[in-house]
């Protein structure tokens, strides 16, 4: 079974001042990352502000990305939530022909036990032929998928093909890497620790910062996969401060502020998120164009 390697990009949803989707901005983003050597695209993930999007808007975003991508890169589609039955229905009612896999977040808010998490993903897999990538992001969901649960799912269900691991705990990633099947992908969901995770045997990253610096991040990940450690870290140290800045006022507020400065799309977000402050914008501009970046 084909695995996901390298650099995936968690696409934002650009908005206009009036709150409508900016499809021209979305086209610019997709072209920007596709032309700068990323390996795959994640559509309607957390970074896309999916929880604020209407059903019709999601459908239009999917069609827009598919039309621009023209099957150049694999696509991953975010379909997750905290109602197992509802997720199964959504998966059944969408055409997944153009998607490599579904990225499905661990149930949030209701904070299930490890057995509950296992049964949740088991139910999804038993009701679809689609490949599933688990998404573990405890700071957003309120619960952590422990390595033993991940390994159990990976060993029992062939269609669970990977995990986007965003616990921020390197040791947790290493424990999964140590015991996972060869065909199962461990993908870092955290820009800060992507490099050590890949060097420890991870398969790549689903990145936010790669939306701003696709070529740099793709090169860094490729060098890490080739075990060219010094070269990989030399790129990482050039972008580490920018990674800090884009998360300073939350995601996707920060990355949208960077994309605005790069003249790729506007920085508008939907409530309850708010736009990046002028202070953040100035900091990012200084880091991007200042002497420290030369």
């Amino acid at each position: 079974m084909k695995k996901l390697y390298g650099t995936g990009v968690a696409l934002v949803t650009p908005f206009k001042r009036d709150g409508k989707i900016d499809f021209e901005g979305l086209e610019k983003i997709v072209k920007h990352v596709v032309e700068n050597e990323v390996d795959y695209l994640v559509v309607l993930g957390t970074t896309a502000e999916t929880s604020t999007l209407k059903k019709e808007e999601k459908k239009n975003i999917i069609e827009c990305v598919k039309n621009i991508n023209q099957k150049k890169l694999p696509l991953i589609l975010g379909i997750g939530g905290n109602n197992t039955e509802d997720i199964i229905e959504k998966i059944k009612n969408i055409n997944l022909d153009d998607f490599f896999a579904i990225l499905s977040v661990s149930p949030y808010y209701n904070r299930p036990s490890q057995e509950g998490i296992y049964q949740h993903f088991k139910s999804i897999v038993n009701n679809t032929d689609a490949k599933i990538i688990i998404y573990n992001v405890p700071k957003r969901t309120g619960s952590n998928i422990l390595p033993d649960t991940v390994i159990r799912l990976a060993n029992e269900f062939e269609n669970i093909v990977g995990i986007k691991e965003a616990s921020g705990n390197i040791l947790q990633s290493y424990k999964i890497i140590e015991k996972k099947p060869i065909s199962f992908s461990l993908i870092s969901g955290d820009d800060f620790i992507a490099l050590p995770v890949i060097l420890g045997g991870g398969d790549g990253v689903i990145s936010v910062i790669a939306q701003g610096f696709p070529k740099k991040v793709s090169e860094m990940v490729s060098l890490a996969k080739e075990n060219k450690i010094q070269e990989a870290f030399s790129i990482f140290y050039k972008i580490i401060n920018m990674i800090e800045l884009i998360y300073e006022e939350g995601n996707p507020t920060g990355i949208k502020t960077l994309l605005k400065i790069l003249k790729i799309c506007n920085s508008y977000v939907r409530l309850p998120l708010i736009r990046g402050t002028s202070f953040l914008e100035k900091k990012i501009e200084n880091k991007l164009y200042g002497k420290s970046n030369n």
Side-chain angles (χ1 to χ4, degrees):
M1 187 180 286
K2 182 184 173 186
K3 285 181 73 175
L4 281 177
Y5 288 104
T7 303
V9 176
L11 295 170
V12 301
T13 303
F15 298 114
K16 299 176 183 177
R17 185 188 290 272
D18 62 6
K20 292 179 181 175
I21 296 170
D22 175 11
F23 288 102
E24 285 184 19
L26 182 57
E27 182 175 346
K28 284 178 76 173
I29 291 167
V30 174
K31 285 181 176 177
H32 175 59
V33 296
V34 169
E35 290 166 4
N36 281 283
E37 300 172 9
V38 304
D39 298 293
Y40 59 97
L41 307 176
V42 178
V43 185
L44 299 180
T46 310
T47 301
E49 296 174 72
T50 310
S51 59
T52 71
L53 295 171
K54 299 178 182 71
K55 185 178 179 180
E56 193 65 24
E57 290 177 324
K58 291 178 184 179
K59 183 181 174 183
N60 291 338
I61 288 167
I62 289 169
E63 289 307 311
C64 179
V65 174
K66 281 165 52 175
N67 289 338
I68 301 158
N69 181 53
Q70 289 291 307
K71 299 188 177 182
K72 293 185 185 80
L73 298 180
L75 300 177
I76 309 297
L77 179 63
I79 305 179
N82 60 353
N83 180 337
T84 309
E85 190 176 333
D86 183 56
I87 295 165
I88 291 166
E89 280 304 306
K90 284 177 179 173
I91 293 171
K92 284 180 177 178
N93 290 312
I94 193 163
N95 183 349
L96 295 169
D97 289 349
D98 290 297
F99 290 93
F100 174 82
I102 289 165
L103 178 67
S104 198
V105 70
S106 180
Y108 45 80
Y109 191 74
N110 20 25
R111 300 184 70 190
S113 65
Q114 294 302 300
E115 183 62 26
I117 291 168
Y118 168 83
Q119 293 294 340
H120 169 80
F121 283 107
K122 177 182 178 180
S123 294
I124 292 172
V125 172
N126 283 341
N127 283 279
T128 180
D129 294 327
K131 299 182 184 74
I132 304 294
I133 300 168
I134 300 164
Y135 181 17
N136 184 38
V137 57
K139 62 188 174 186
R140 287 187 181 268
T141 63
S143 63
N144 183 26
I145 312 178
L146 297 177
D148 285 349
T149 305
V150 176
I151 298 304
R152 183 184 175 195
L153 287 164
N155 282 325
E156 291 186 23
F157 302 104
E158 190 177 279
N159 272 22
I160 296 182
V161 297
I163 183 169
K164 178 185 176 185
E165 200 352 274
S167 66
N169 184 333
I170 296 178
L171 287 178
Q172 183 156 305
S173 292
Y174 289 166
K175 285 177 182 178
I176 296 168
I177 291 166
E178 179 190 10
K179 296 180 180 178
K180 73 179 181 66
I182 293 171
S183 59
F184 185 85
S185 297
L186 186 288
I187 302 162
S188 175
D190 189 324
D191 282 313
F192 281 113
I193 60 171
L195 202 44
V197 167
I198 295 165
L199 292 169
D203 295 290
V205 62
I206 292 177
S207 172
V208 175
I209 193 67
Q211 209 148 188
F213 303 136
K215 189 162 275 190
K216 275 191 174 112
V217 176
S218 296
E219 187 180 355
M220 178 187 79
V221 170
S222 295
L223 288 166
K225 294 295 288 178
E226 294 167 14
N227 215 30
K228 295 179 178 177
I229 299 170
Q230 283 186 317
E231 294 98 320
F233 269 107
S234 72
I235 295 173
F236 177 69
Y237 286 125
K238 288 174 184 172
I239 62 173
I240 185 171
N241 291 328
M242 190 64 81
I243 296 172
E244 277 188 295
L245 285 174
I246 68 163
Y247 287 106
E248 194 169 286
E249 294 183 6
N251 183 45
T253 294
I255 187 64
K256 282 190 168 182
T257 304
L258 173 59
L259 292 171
K260 176 193 172 189
I261 293 165
L262 292 171
K263 295 181 170 52
I264 294 171
C265 72
N266 278 311
S267 61
Y268 299 112
V269 292
R270 282 185 176 172
L271 286 171
L273 298 182
I274 59 172
R275 292 177 78 187
T277 63
S278 58
F279 300 107
L280 178 64
E281 200 166 326
K282 184 58 71 177
K283 283 183 186 177
I284 291 176
E285 280 181 345
N286 287 343
K287 180 53 59 180
L288 197 58
Y289 302 120
K291 291 180 181 177
S292 60
N293 247 32
N294 290 340

